[in-house]
């Protein structure tokens, strides 16, 4: 058994931390307040190769594995989740293109993302389709050599800043079985009939862009269909392990950041003539936060490692996602508590962590859905 | 053109620390790439990107632990690295400028670069002498505290701008081969890219001992001795004047002059 990181992985962590401290931390409050997308920081991150880091070297990425991507996500999210997501999500949806795309599709879509020239997105959820993905109603109909897409997608990360989206569409309404008849189709944002409506007023990760997408007779060439027609559900499911581990890493990062801030504050703030960190009640909070973060990290790294071995780890990935997101929310909560009144205003980053942490229990499958998955696997029931 | 950059891993200190004997206690120490060397590496890599340099080689005196710092330089774009270490260096408490000069000069003679870039100083022991001392030892020209370098090293001449005290700057032409000691601010050092970090793992990092360089073990003996290390006592003192600005401003002025704060 080997628990250590390689020298290369340590180096990635350190360089990402350096980037975050210098480029993200000073700007985090501003982007949160203004609820705007951090284009400048994303451009710099792209220059460093943080965007699309898992895209293979031959298409301009760094070709990093799930574990390395987890390390990057953990580090970025420990400084500011909103900006971190803005960076990490620039390549959302490209995993399907990487796995199932043709050579032509990879060149068209992967390269510009890895170079930081284009931003992608993954459009699955709809106003009436959340946890039950099989109820997707956005339709794509074949007309000559084009697909004509109609429908609405809801809560789409990068909605108003993205250049293209991998859209889960119903392509065969007559297919039998709940999970059949869906395809993944790339829709570029400059196609006629495409529009995006920014969703404002988010509780957290406010730097990250979220929007509703509207497809009104949007025509795309048939070459935009990724992989096999009508088999998208199976294609999509393959990435749940990796993407859920990715959100687990976000949770680990938030817990780590909240703990770091709380630890510092506990040593500075004095009451009753001594630093509050001298009180056992505060010490125990810090001990719990650090222990739970470590446990979440181990679960997450283990899951990532198994994904990289090419194994199917549905249960483990859901465990990591559910547990790490819970730890993130708990740690952020305790960090605010340790800050007292100062934690209730945005003078300190913990107020932001508190708001940002919640999303990790919602997107990429809610905590309830993760528990359903874990239980189903335990009980040996198929999906 | 070949450029050699000296790269040092320096000790960094936490805000709060304790001194044990003549050293800061280990638990308060970290390690990082010397800030000035970061700028020197960037300058060399930019010269390479501009098609002026063909090869950038780094040289470091240090134990295996500092290879992570060396890989950082490689990840930023240096082509290969040389690290000097052996048992005779292992036991040395204080590696002085003479020792560094002999060792680095031996490497430079072997590598035969056209240009050597060093930092103005190292952030931890701040001798601030190594670059110039190496140049003197090798009979190279040198430019110290360089904050701009023209990227056309035509006719074997480096045109540099140097920072002098009091905001004065000077332009100098230095004949190659030369050593330039690089000042912070000459450029904007890049972050190592993820691709760079990945590629750095496969770049050559050659380890040599003093024997390999033909340097005698006695080179590391030093005439310098570190006798003490302490934090200077800081004093604070408050003077309060009662009354309006008209009466008290002059008194404040006198005090500031008295304390040497105002001229
Ligand atoms: C900021 C943000 C960014 C997002 N980005 C994207 C994106 O890029 N692409 C994308 O496609 N989607 C995205 N989403 C959507 C997200 O994935 C969904 O919100 C999520 O899957 C939950 O769906 P829902 O909101 O419809 O909730 P619902 O499915 O309506 O769930 C409501 C509640 O019911 C519970 N529930 C539902 N079914 C069950 C069940 N079977 N058993 C027990 N409890 C159940 C849920 O756990 C939850 O507590 C994003 C959402 C947000 C808020």
């Amino acid at each position: 058994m080997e628990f250590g990181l390689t020298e290369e992985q340590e180096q990635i962590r350190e360089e990402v931390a350096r980037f975050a401290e210098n480029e993200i931390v000073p700007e985090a409050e501003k982007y949160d307040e203004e609820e705007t997308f951090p284009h400048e920081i994303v451009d710099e991150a792209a220059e460093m190769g943080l965007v699309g880091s898992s895209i293979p070297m031959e298409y301009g990425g760094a070709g990093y594995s799930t574990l390395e991507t987890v390390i990057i996500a953990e580090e970025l999210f420990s400084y500011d989740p909103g900006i971190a997501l803005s960076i990490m999500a620039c390549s959302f949806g490209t995993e399907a293109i990487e796995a199932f795309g043709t050579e032509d599709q990879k060149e068209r879509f992967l390269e510009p993302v890895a170079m930081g020239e284009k931003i992608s997105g993954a459009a699955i959820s709809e106003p009436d389709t959340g946890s039950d993905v099989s109820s997707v109603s956005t339709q794509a109909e074949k007309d000559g050599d084009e697909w004509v897409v109609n429908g609405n997608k809801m809560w789409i990360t990068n909605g108003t800043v993205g250049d293209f989206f991998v859209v889960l569409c119903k392509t065969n309404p007559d297919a039998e079985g709940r999970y059949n008849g869906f395809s993944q189709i790339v829709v570029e944002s400059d196609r006629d009939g495409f529009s995006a409506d920014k969703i404002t007023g988010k509780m957290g990760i406010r730097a990250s862009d979220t929007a509703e997408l509207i497809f009104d007779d949007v025509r795309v060439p048939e070459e935009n269909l990724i992989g096999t027609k009508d088999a998208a559900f199976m294609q999509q499911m393959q990435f749940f392990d990796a993407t859920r581990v990715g959100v687990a890493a976000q949770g680990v990062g938030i817990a780590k950041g909240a703990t770091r801030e709380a630890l510092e504050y506990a040593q500075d703030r004095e009451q009753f003539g001594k630093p509050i960190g001298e009180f056992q009640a505060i010490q125990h909070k810090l001990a719990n936060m650090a222990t739970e973060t470590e446990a979440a990290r181990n679960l997450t790294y283990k899951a990532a490692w198994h994904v990289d071995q090419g194994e199917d780890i549905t249960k483990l990935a859901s465990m990591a996602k559910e547990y790490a997101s819970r730890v993130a929310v708990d740690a952020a909560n305790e960090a605010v508590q340790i800050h007292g009144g100062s934690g209730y205003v945005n003078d300190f980053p913990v107020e932001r962590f508190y708001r940002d942490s919640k999303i990790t229990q919602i997107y990429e499958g809610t905590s309830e859905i993760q528990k359903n998955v874990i239980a189903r696997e335990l009980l040996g029931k198929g999906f | 053109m070949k450029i050699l950059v000296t790269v040092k891993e320096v000790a960094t200190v936490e805000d709060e620390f304790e001194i044990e004997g003549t050293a800061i206690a280990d638990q308060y120490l970290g390690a990082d790439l010397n800030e000035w060397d970061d700028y020197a590496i960037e300058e060399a890599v930019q010269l390479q990107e501009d098609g002026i340099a063909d090869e950038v080689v780094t040289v470091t005196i240090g134990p295996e632990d500092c290879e992570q710092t060396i890989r950082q330089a490689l990840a930023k774009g240096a082509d290969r690295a040389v690290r000097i270490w052996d048992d005779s260096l292992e036991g040395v408490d204080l590696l002085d400028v003479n020792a560094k000069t002999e060792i680095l000069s031996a490497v430079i003679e072997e590598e035969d670069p056209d240009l050597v870039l060093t930092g103005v100083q190292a952030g931890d022991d701040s001798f601030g002498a190594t670059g110039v001392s190496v140049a003197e030892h090798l009979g190279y020209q040198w430019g110290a505290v360089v904050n701009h370098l023209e990227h056309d090293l035509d006719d074997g001449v480096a045109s540099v701008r140097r920072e002098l005290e009091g905001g004065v700057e000077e332009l100098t032409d230095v004949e190659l081969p030369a050593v330039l000691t690089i000042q912070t601010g000459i450029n904007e050092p890049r972050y190592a890219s993820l691709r760079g970090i990945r590629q750095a793992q496969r770049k050559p990092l050659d380890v040599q001992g003093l024997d390999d360089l033909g340097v005698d073990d006695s080179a590391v003996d030093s005439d310098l001795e570190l006798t003490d290390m302490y934090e200077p006592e800081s004093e604070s003192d408050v003077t309060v004047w009662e009354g309006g600005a008209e009466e008290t401003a002059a008194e404040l002025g006198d005090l500031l002059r008295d304390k040497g704060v105002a001229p």
Side-chain angles (χ1 to χ4, degrees):
Chain A
M1 196 174 249
E2 169 68 79
F3 275 111
L5 296 182
T6 64
E7 201 184 293
E8 181 179 353
Q9 288 161 343
E10 287 291 354
Q11 205 176 347
I12 293 171
R13 182 193 292 292
E14 280 179 23
E15 201 68 5
V16 172
R18 234 187 299 272
F19 176 84
E21 278 170 15
N22 294 335
E23 313 296 334
I24 297 180
V25 171
E27 304 287 328
E29 189 185 322
K30 182 185 105 183
Y31 284 107
D32 173 63
E33 241 171 52
E34 295 175 359
E35 204 170 6
T36 49
F37 188 79
H39 281 288
E40 273 177 32
I41 300 177
V42 168
D43 286 348
E44 283 176 71
E47 216 164 282
M48 186 181 160
L50 289 178
V51 165
S53 58
S54 64
I55 292 175
M57 294 275 252
E58 58 203 291
Y59 302 108
Y64 276 128
S65 65
T66 312
L67 181 56
E68 280 132 2
T69 311
V70 157
I71 292 169
I72 296 169
E74 175 188 337
E75 214 50 45
L76 288 177
F77 273 77
S78 80
Y79 290 96
D80 182 66
I83 295 176
L85 183 69
S86 303
I87 294 170
M88 298 296 290
C90 278
S91 58
F92 268 11
T94 57
E95 62 282 340
I97 302 172
E98 199 184 310
F100 302 108
T102 61
E103 194 53 37
D104 174 61
Q105 287 170 335
K106 289 180 189 178
E107 274 170 29
R108 270 169 68 205
F109 299 120
L110 296 185
E111 254 178 43
V113 170
M115 306 312 255
E117 291 157 7
K118 285 193 174 160
I119 292 175
S120 61
I124 302 165
S125 309
E126 299 180 357
D128 295 323
T129 298
S131 300
D132 179 11
V133 179
S134 69
S135 65
V136 158
S137 65
T138 294
Q139 280 226 8
E141 274 179 288
K142 197 72 182 285
D143 182 28
D145 52 7
E146 289 179 324
W147 288 105
V148 184
V149 184
N150 278 292
N152 287 12
K153 291 287 179 184
M154 192 65 186
W155 308 117
I156 306 308
T157 299
N158 295 337
T160 69
V161 298
D163 296 285
F164 66 86
F165 299 87
V166 177
V167 184
L168 187 65
C169 307
K170 190 109 203 169
T171 39
N172 182 1
D174 305 324
E176 281 181 27
R178 290 174 61 199
Y179 302 111
N180 296 325
F182 299 98
S183 302
Q184 285 172 306
I185 295 177
V186 176
V187 177
E188 295 93 339
S189 58
D190 57 2
R191 299 270 176 201
D192 286 342
F194 173 96
S195 58
D197 225 353
K198 186 173 170 92
I199 297 170
T200 56
K202 287 210 301 284
M203 177 200 282
I205 54 162
R206 289 163 55 88
S208 171
D209 183 70
T210 315
E212 178 172 8
L213 308 185
I214 300 126
F215 306 96
D216 182 10
D217 278 334
V218 182
R219 288 175 172 271
V220 301
E222 62 182 353
E223 300 91 75
N224 279 21
L225 187 138
I226 306 294
T228 310
K229 181 178 169 289
D230 294 346
F233 215 87
M234 288 304 155
Q235 289 180 190
Q236 195 86 52
M237 299 288 274
Q238 295 212 2
F239 306 111
F240 279 172
D241 286 358
T243 52
R244 284 176 178 166
V245 172
V247 177
Q250 300 179 4
V252 175
I254 293 170
K256 171 174 160 165
T259 307
R260 179 170 52 216
E261 294 297 328
L263 197 58
E264 194 181 318
Y265 190 80
Q267 286 165 294
D268 283 351
R269 172 70 177 171
E270 295 192 6
Q271 282 297 284
F272 299 97
K274 51 184 169 184
I276 58 167
E278 308 258 314
F279 299 118
Q280 201 177 44
I282 301 292
Q283 290 176 351
H284 283 190
K285 282 187 198 297
L286 291 166
N288 281 344
M289 291 159 79
T291 306
E292 283 164 11
T293 305
E294 192 61 34
R297 180 181 294 117
N298 278 335
L299 198 50
T300 303
Y301 283 17
K302 183 178 177 187
W305 183 83
H306 280 287
V307 170
D308 287 336
Q309 306 310 305
E311 293 165 25
D312 224 355
I313 50 139
T314 312
K315 184 176 62 182
L316 193 58
S318 286
M319 286 175 166
K321 200 274 184 185
E322 192 283 320
Y323 183 69
S325 60
R326 177 151 46 101
V327 168
V329 169
D330 289 350
N333 180 29
E334 289 291 50
V336 170
Q337 192 65 21
I338 290 171
H339 278 67
S342 302
Y344 201 69
V345 288
N346 67 357
D347 294 352
F348 288 91
V350 291
E351 180 265 350
R352 212 166 50 241
F353 280 123
Y354 185 78
R355 290 184 283 108
D356 291 343
S357 62
K358 188 63 197 170
I359 190 63
T360 60
Q361 292 191 307
I362 296 173
Y363 58 20
E364 261 337 292
T366 63
S367 293
E368 291 76 10
I369 295 298
Q370 304 306 332
K371 286 183 188 173
N372 289 355
V373 171
I374 297 164
R376 192 182 65 209
E377 294 276 325
L378 286 174
L379 296 165
K381 297 182 183 167
F383 71 95
Chain B
M1 168 175 288
K2 179 169 171 180
I3 302 180
L4 189 132
V5 185
T6 59
V7 169
K8 185 181 181 192
E9 180 178 280
V10 293
T12 55
V13 189
E14 285 179 22
D15 292 345
E16 306 270 327
F17 61 87
E18 280 167 34
I19 292 171
E20 279 172 9
T22 55
I24 292 168
D26 264 355
Q27 69 262 38
Y28 305 105
L29 293 178
D32 205 353
L33 169 63
N34 181 35
E35 189 184 350
W36 285 265
D37 298 348
D38 199 9
Y39 289 86
I41 295 162
E42 178 65 32
E43 197 63 23
V45 171
Q46 287 187 11
L47 283 164
Q48 191 176 41
E49 286 170 348
D50 288 350
I52 293 164
D54 310 306
E55 193 183 22
V56 176
V57 183
T58 68
V59 53
T60 301
I61 306 171
E64 195 177 349
D65 281 353
C66 67
E67 288 198 356
Q68 196 158 338
T69 295
I70 298 174
R71 294 264 176 229
Q72 207 179 320
L74 293 172
K76 287 175 184 230
D79 297 299
R80 64 184 172 86
V82 180
R83 178 171 72 82
I84 313 300
W85 199 247
D86 65 17
D87 290 345
S88 53
L89 283 158
E90 190 81 52
V92 177
D93 280 339
L94 183 96
L95 197 65
D96 69 16
V97 174
N98 289 334
K100 291 180 195 180
T101 301
E102 278 207 43
I103 296 168
L104 294 175
S105 297
V107 177
I108 292 166
E109 275 176 340
E110 195 178 279
E111 292 283 346
D112 194 26
D114 302 281
L115 185 63
V116 177
L117 302 182
T118 73
V120 164
Q121 65 189 70
D124 51 2
D125 57 20
S126 296
F127 280 124
T130 304
V132 175
S133 172
V134 165
E136 175 64 22
H137 189 257
L138 290 168
Y140 279 24
Q141 290 303 312
W142 76 79
V145 201
V146 171
N147 66 4
H148 179 77
L149 169 65
E150 283 298 327
H151 280 206
D152 70 6
L153 304 155
D154 283 348
D155 308 325
V157 171
S159 300
V160 304
R161 192 175 70 208
R162 304 191 320 111
E163 190 178 309
L164 309 182
E165 279 302 310
V168 177
E169 300 201 325
E170 168 193 285
L171 299 178
T172 318
D173 282 351
V174 185
E175 237 175 85
L176 301 184
V179 177
L180 304 179
T181 75
I182 301 297
Q183 175 64 313
T184 56
I186 187 174
N187 51 40
E188 204 179 316
R190 70 195 65 194
Y191 295 100
S193 75
L194 294 192
R195 272 169 84 91
I197 291 173
R198 170 138 268 201
Q199 285 158 348
Q201 298 302 315
R202 293 191 287 271
K203 290 182 178 175
L205 197 169
D206 180 29
V207 185
Q208 296 188 27
L210 297 189
D211 283 354
D212 304 317
L213 294 170
V215 173
D216 195 82
D217 281 359
S218 65
V220 302
D221 297 340
S222 178
D223 294 333
L224 284 184
E225 194 191 340
L226 182 60
T227 54
D228 199 5
M229 183 179 280
Y230 61 93
E231 275 186 278
E233 300 244 341
S234 57
E235 282 175 48
S236 57
D237 188 12
V238 181
T239 308
V240 180
W241 289 280
E242 310 273 346
E246 286 112 70
E247 309 131 52
T248 58
E251 289 178 57
L252 173 63
D254 285 342
L255 181 93
L256 292 178
R257 250 185 303 270
D258 223 35
K259 297 279 183 196
V261 180

